[in-house]
Amino acid sequence: MAITCCFIKEQYFIDNAHFVKMLDSGNTIKQCHRTHLCIQVSSNGNTFYIPLRNNLGPDVRKFGRIGHSVPANGRPKAGIDYRYALIVNDASYIEIPTVQRIPNSQYQKLLTDISAIETEFNQYLTGFIKAARKNRIDREALFRESSLVNFLSELGVTGD
């Protein structure tokens, strides 16, 4: 399984300015400079991009797992945050850097942990979809801040 670290182009955030519960909401410059991990997860043919954050904090909170810790020198609390995963099915919005933009130690940890990350993210996604179908997203702390609320139709969750 390959890991792709990429950037989502500024145009994506401009075209989807109506999205809610986004990291750096309204700051397209910061949004398009954030490294996203590309994990292809099969859910209605969607491609998910999970952001790498400098300050994830604990990856497991009292209400559940929010991400996966990927520390680096100078960034001991860094990790990927499942809550802010985005679906980007149009590859024209994606930019793959020509040089690796994250520290080698972080990249190696991602390579080592990829199967765990896939399993954890699939569990998060399954839980989110279940909560959405029961109309409980706002009541469940694990999903309350999820940017996946912008992708209910892509996830096959019908709105009410």
Side-chain angles (χ1 to χ4, degrees):
M1 171 76 40
I3 293 176
T4 307
C5 292
C6 66
F7 297 104
I8 299 173
K9 294 180 181 174
E10 185 175 13
Q11 193 61 47
Y12 175 85
F13 298 104
I14 292 169
D15 292 349
N16 296 294
H18 60 283
F19 281 178
V20 296
K21 299 184 181 180
M22 301 281 288
L23 282 178
D24 311 312
S25 190
N27 186 344
T28 57
I29 300 297
K30 192 168 182 183
Q31 287 173 321
C32 68
H33 284 92
R34 181 178 298 284
T35 300
H36 286 76
L37 174 68
C38 173
I39 294 183
Q40 209 142 3
V41 174
S42 295
S43 176
N44 296 340
N46 295 310
T47 304
F48 293 84
Y49 293 83
I50 305 169
L52 187 59
R53 302 183 66 190
N54 287 330
N55 194 11
L56 176 67
D59 55 0
V60 179
R61 310 277 169 94
K62 65 183 178 210
F63 50 80
R65 178 176 285 282
I66 63 158
H68 192 88
S69 180
V70 188
N73 290 340
R75 294 184 184 108
K77 294 181 179 180
I80 56 175
D81 194 333
Y82 302 144
R83 298 171 301 174
Y84 295 103
L86 301 175
I87 294 176
V88 184
N89 291 326
D90 182 347
S92 69
Y93 285 124
I94 302 303
E95 177 187 339
I96 310 274
T98 53
V99 294
Q100 184 176 304
R101 297 289 297 267
I102 64 172
N104 211 38
S105 61
Q106 274 185 313
Y107 189 74
Q108 291 307 315
K109 175 130 176 75
L110 289 169
L111 288 176
T112 302
D113 295 357
I114 186 61
S115 62
I117 291 167
E118 279 188 299
T119 300
E120 292 165 7
F121 181 68
N122 273 318
Q123 288 171 342
Y124 182 86
L125 187 60
T126 300
F128 177 86
I129 292 169
K130 187 176 177 183
R133 286 192 173 132
K134 291 180 175 181
N135 207 16
R136 293 189 52 82
I137 292 171
D138 288 332
R139 287 188 222 125
E140 295 193 26
L142 186 57
F143 308 117
R144 199 175 294 138
E145 288 305 312
S146 181
S147 59
L148 291 173
V149 297
N150 299 297
F151 305 103
L152 295 178
S153 61
E154 289 88 342
L155 295 171
V157 179
T158 54
D160 45 344

mmCIF file of all heavy atoms in Angstrom, residues 128-150:
data_model
loop_
_atom_site.group_PDB
_atom_site.id
_atom_site.type_symbol
_atom_site.label_atom_id
_atom_site.label_comp_id
_atom_site.label_asym_id
_atom_site.label_seq_id
_atom_site.Cartn_x
_atom_site.Cartn_y
_atom_site.Cartn_z
ATOM 1 N N PHE A 128 -19.275 7.268 11.664
ATOM 2 C CA PHE A 128 -19.843 8.539 11.217
ATOM 3 C C PHE A 128 -21.107 8.297 10.394
ATOM 4 O O PHE A 128 -22.139 8.938 10.600
ATOM 5 C CB PHE A 128 -18.826 9.341 10.393
ATOM 6 C CG PHE A 128 -19.398 10.615 9.861
ATOM 7 C CD1 PHE A 128 -19.399 11.760 10.630
ATOM 8 C CD2 PHE A 128 -19.981 10.654 8.596
ATOM 9 C CE1 PHE A 128 -19.972 12.933 10.151
ATOM 10 C CE2 PHE A 128 -20.557 11.807 8.114
ATOM 11 C CZ PHE A 128 -20.549 12.955 8.890
ATOM 12 N N ILE A 129 -21.029 7.368 9.446
ATOM 13 C CA ILE A 129 -22.174 7.071 8.581
ATOM 14 C C ILE A 129 -23.348 6.567 9.414
ATOM 15 O O ILE A 129 -24.498 6.983 9.222
ATOM 16 C CB ILE A 129 -21.775 6.068 7.472
ATOM 17 C CG1 ILE A 129 -20.804 6.744 6.493
ATOM 18 C CG2 ILE A 129 -23.006 5.536 6.744
ATOM 19 C CD1 ILE A 129 -20.140 5.797 5.506
ATOM 20 N N LYS A 130 -23.067 5.704 10.379
ATOM 21 C CA LYS A 130 -24.114 5.171 11.261
ATOM 22 C C LYS A 130 -24.762 6.311 12.057
ATOM 23 O O LYS A 130 -25.994 6.395 12.161
ATOM 24 C CB LYS A 130 -23.494 4.135 12.201
ATOM 25 C CG LYS A 130 -24.477 3.394 13.054
ATOM 26 C CD LYS A 130 -23.761 2.329 13.883
ATOM 27 C CE LYS A 130 -24.700 1.609 14.806
ATOM 28 N NZ LYS A 130 -23.997 0.636 15.652
ATOM 29 N N ALA A 131 -23.929 7.202 12.617
ATOM 30 C CA ALA A 131 -24.450 8.346 13.382
ATOM 31 C C ALA A 131 -25.268 9.272 12.481
ATOM 32 O O ALA A 131 -26.319 9.783 12.886
ATOM 33 C CB ALA A 131 -23.304 9.113 14.039
ATOM 34 N N ALA A 132 -24.800 9.480 11.244
ATOM 35 C CA ALA A 132 -25.512 10.359 10.304
ATOM 36 C C ALA A 132 -26.876 9.774 9.948
ATOM 37 O O ALA A 132 -27.876 10.496 9.895
ATOM 38 C CB ALA A 132 -24.676 10.566 9.050
ATOM 39 N N ARG A 133 -26.912 8.465 9.721
ATOM 40 C CA ARG A 133 -28.194 7.822 9.372
ATOM 41 C C ARG A 133 -29.196 7.901 10.519
ATOM 42 O O ARG A 133 -30.401 7.930 10.295
ATOM 43 C CB ARG A 133 -27.957 6.367 8.966
ATOM 44 C CG ARG A 133 -27.326 6.276 7.593
ATOM 45 C CD ARG A 133 -27.335 4.869 7.032
ATOM 46 N NE ARG A 133 -26.858 4.928 5.657
ATOM 47 C CZ ARG A 133 -25.930 4.129 5.160
ATOM 48 N NH1 ARG A 133 -25.378 3.192 5.926
ATOM 49 N NH2 ARG A 133 -25.551 4.248 3.910
ATOM 50 N N LYS A 134 -28.685 7.943 11.758
ATOM 51 C CA LYS A 134 -29.560 8.047 12.935
ATOM 52 C C LYS A 134 -29.778 9.507 13.342
ATOM 53 O O LYS A 134 -30.372 9.784 14.372
ATOM 54 C CB LYS A 134 -28.938 7.282 14.111
ATOM 55 C CG LYS A 134 -28.937 5.781 13.902
ATOM 56 C CD LYS A 134 -28.317 5.094 15.111
ATOM 57 C CE LYS A 134 -28.410 3.593 14.991
ATOM 58 N NZ LYS A 134 -27.846 2.922 16.164
ATOM 59 N N ASN A 135 -29.216 10.437 12.532
ATOM 60 C CA ASN A 135 -29.332 11.874 12.806
ATOM 61 C C ASN A 135 -28.765 12.230 14.180
ATOM 62 O O ASN A 135 -29.358 12.995 14.936
ATOM 63 C CB ASN A 135 -30.793 12.324 12.671
ATOM 64 C CG ASN A 135 -30.889 13.781 12.292
ATOM 65 O OD1 ASN A 135 -29.910 14.375 11.858
ATOM 66 N ND2 ASN A 135 -32.056 14.360 12.457
ATOM 67 N N ARG A 136 -27.601 11.639 14.515
ATOM 68 C CA ARG A 136 -26.996 11.831 15.833
ATOM 69 C C ARG A 136 -25.626 12.510 15.788
ATOM 70 O O ARG A 136 -24.920 12.532 16.787
ATOM 71 C CB ARG A 136 -26.841 10.469 16.533
ATOM 72 C CG ARG A 136 -28.160 9.805 16.887
ATOM 73 C CD ARG A 136 -27.957 8.587 17.759
ATOM 74 N NE ARG A 136 -27.142 8.844 18.935
ATOM 75 C CZ ARG A 136 -27.577 9.370 20.077
ATOM 76 N NH1 ARG A 136 -28.829 9.694 20.205
ATOM 77 N NH2 ARG A 136 -26.757 9.540 21.094
ATOM 78 N N ILE A 137 -25.224 13.054 14.661
ATOM 79 C CA ILE A 137 -23.882 13.632 14.546
ATOM 80 C C ILE A 137 -23.631 14.693 15.613
ATOM 81 O O ILE A 137 -22.601 14.690 16.272
ATOM 82 C CB ILE A 137 -23.639 14.205 13.131
ATOM 83 C CG1 ILE A 137 -23.578 13.055 12.120
ATOM 84 C CG2 ILE A 137 -22.356 15.029 13.092
ATOM 85 C CD1 ILE A 137 -23.554 13.507 10.683
ATOM 86 N N ASP A 138 -24.596 15.592 15.798
ATOM 87 C CA ASP A 138 -24.408 16.672 16.772
ATOM 88 C C ASP A 138 -24.436 16.185 18.213
ATOM 89 O O ASP A 138 -24.003 16.884 19.117
ATOM 90 C CB ASP A 138 -25.460 17.769 16.574
ATOM 91 C CG ASP A 138 -25.194 18.562 15.304
ATOM 92 O OD1 ASP A 138 -24.015 18.649 14.889
ATOM 93 O OD2 ASP A 138 -26.166 19.090 14.721
ATOM 94 N N ARG A 139 -24.943 14.986 18.455
ATOM 95 C CA ARG A 139 -25.027 14.449 19.814
ATOM 96 C C ARG A 139 -23.838 13.575 20.182
ATOM 97 O O ARG A 139 -23.682 13.218 21.342
ATOM 98 C CB ARG A 139 -26.327 13.650 19.980
ATOM 99 C CG ARG A 139 -27.529 14.562 20.040
ATOM 100 C CD ARG A 139 -28.779 13.782 20.401
ATOM 101 N NE ARG A 139 -29.860 14.272 19.551
ATOM 102 C CZ ARG A 139 -30.606 13.520 18.775
ATOM 103 N NH1 ARG A 139 -30.440 12.230 18.723
ATOM 104 N NH2 ARG A 139 -31.551 14.053 18.040
ATOM 105 N N GLU A 140 -23.036 13.192 19.207
ATOM 106 C CA GLU A 140 -21.906 12.317 19.480
ATOM 107 C C GLU A 140 -20.595 13.107 19.355
ATOM 108 O O GLU A 140 -20.256 13.592 18.276
ATOM 109 C CB GLU A 140 -21.921 11.121 18.530
ATOM 110 C CG GLU A 140 -23.149 10.248 18.768
ATOM 111 C CD GLU A 140 -23.065 8.903 18.079
ATOM 112 O OE1 GLU A 140 -21.940 8.417 17.839
ATOM 113 O OE2 GLU A 140 -24.132 8.341 17.801
ATOM 114 N N ALA A 141 -19.893 13.224 20.471
ATOM 115 C CA ALA A 141 -18.685 14.048 20.530
ATOM 116 C C ALA A 141 -17.655 13.658 19.473
ATOM 117 O O ALA A 141 -16.958 14.512 18.923
ATOM 118 C CB ALA A 141 -18.056 13.964 21.924
ATOM 119 N N LEU A 142 -17.553 12.403 19.154
ATOM 120 C CA LEU A 142 -16.567 11.934 18.183
ATOM 121 C C LEU A 142 -16.811 12.504 16.791
ATOM 122 O O LEU A 142 -15.874 12.716 16.030
ATOM 123 C CB LEU A 142 -16.586 10.400 18.131
ATOM 124 C CG LEU A 142 -15.540 9.706 17.276
ATOM 125 C CD1 LEU A 142 -14.122 10.107 17.698
ATOM 126 C CD2 LEU A 142 -15.694 8.195 17.365
ATOM 127 N N PHE A 143 -18.062 12.789 16.455
ATOM 128 C CA PHE A 143 -18.398 13.237 15.101
ATOM 129 C C PHE A 143 -18.872 14.685 15.029
ATOM 130 O O PHE A 143 -19.064 15.217 13.948
ATOM 131 C CB PHE A 143 -19.472 12.312 14.512
ATOM 132 C CG PHE A 143 -19.104 10.863 14.602
ATOM 133 C CD1 PHE A 143 -19.857 9.986 15.356
ATOM 134 C CD2 PHE A 143 -17.978 10.379 13.954
ATOM 135 C CE1 PHE A 143 -19.509 8.644 15.454
ATOM 136 C CE2 PHE A 143 -17.612 9.041 14.046
ATOM 137 C CZ PHE A 143 -18.378 8.177 14.793
ATOM 138 N N ARG A 144 -19.042 15.320 16.167
ATOM 139 C CA ARG A 144 -19.597 16.671 16.229
ATOM 140 C C ARG A 144 -18.804 17.673 15.386
ATOM 141 O O ARG A 144 -19.366 18.575 14.792
ATOM 142 C CB ARG A 144 -19.650 17.134 17.687
ATOM 143 C CG ARG A 144 -20.578 18.266 17.932
ATOM 144 C CD ARG A 144 -20.674 18.605 19.406
ATOM 145 N NE ARG A 144 -21.301 17.513 20.163
ATOM 146 C CZ ARG A 144 -20.883 17.084 21.345
ATOM 147 N NH1 ARG A 144 -19.871 17.663 21.951
ATOM 148 N NH2 ARG A 144 -21.496 16.096 21.950
ATOM 149 N N GLU A 145 -17.487 17.514 15.357
ATOM 150 C CA GLU A 145 -16.641 18.459 14.616
ATOM 151 C C GLU A 145 -16.162 17.921 13.269
ATOM 152 O O GLU A 145 -15.188 18.397 12.731
ATOM 153 C CB GLU A 145 -15.429 18.846 15.470
ATOM 154 C CG GLU A 145 -15.774 19.745 16.635
ATOM 155 C CD GLU A 145 -16.511 20.995 16.202
ATOM 156 O OE1 GLU A 145 -16.065 21.665 15.246
ATOM 157 O OE2 GLU A 145 -17.563 21.299 16.800
ATOM 158 N N SER A 146 -16.824 16.926 12.725
ATOM 159 C CA SER A 146 -16.342 16.287 11.511
ATOM 160 C C SER A 146 -16.693 17.064 10.250
ATOM 161 O O SER A 146 -17.842 17.435 10.029
ATOM 162 C CB SER A 146 -16.910 14.874 11.404
ATOM 163 O OG SER A 146 -16.428 14.258 10.241
ATOM 164 N N SER A 147 -15.693 17.260 9.400
ATOM 165 C CA SER A 147 -15.938 17.908 8.107
ATOM 166 C C SER A 147 -16.656 16.964 7.147
ATOM 167 O O SER A 147 -17.098 17.380 6.080
ATOM 168 C CB SER A 147 -14.629 18.402 7.495
ATOM 169 O OG SER A 147 -13.740 17.325 7.314
ATOM 170 N N LEU A 148 -16.807 15.698 7.531
ATOM 171 C CA LEU A 148 -17.533 14.748 6.677
ATOM 172 C C LEU A 148 -19.007 15.127 6.522
ATOM 173 O O LEU A 148 -19.682 14.623 5.621
ATOM 174 C CB LEU A 148 -17.402 13.321 7.229
ATOM 175 C CG LEU A 148 -16.007 12.695 7.122
ATOM 176 C CD1 LEU A 148 -15.960 11.356 7.843
ATOM 177 C CD2 LEU A 148 -15.575 12.539 5.668
ATOM 178 N N VAL A 149 -19.514 16.040 7.366
ATOM 179 C CA VAL A 149 -20.904 16.488 7.229
ATOM 180 C C VAL A 149 -21.147 17.130 5.862
ATOM 181 O O VAL A 149 -22.281 17.220 5.413
ATOM 182 C CB VAL A 149 -21.339 17.465 8.352
ATOM 183 C CG1 VAL A 149 -21.300 16.802 9.715
ATOM 184 C CG2 VAL A 149 -20.512 18.736 8.328
ATOM 185 N N ASN A 150 -20.063 17.550 5.206
ATOM 186 C CA ASN A 150 -20.177 18.164 3.880
ATOM 187 C C ASN A 150 -20.356 17.136 2.770
ATOM 188 O O ASN A 150 -20.556 17.508 1.618
ATOM 189 C CB ASN A 150 -18.924 19.006 3.593
ATOM 190 C CG ASN A 150 -18.760 20.119 4.599
ATOM 191 O OD1 ASN A 150 -19.603 21.001 4.686
ATOM 192 N ND2 ASN A 150 -17.698 20.074 5.379
#
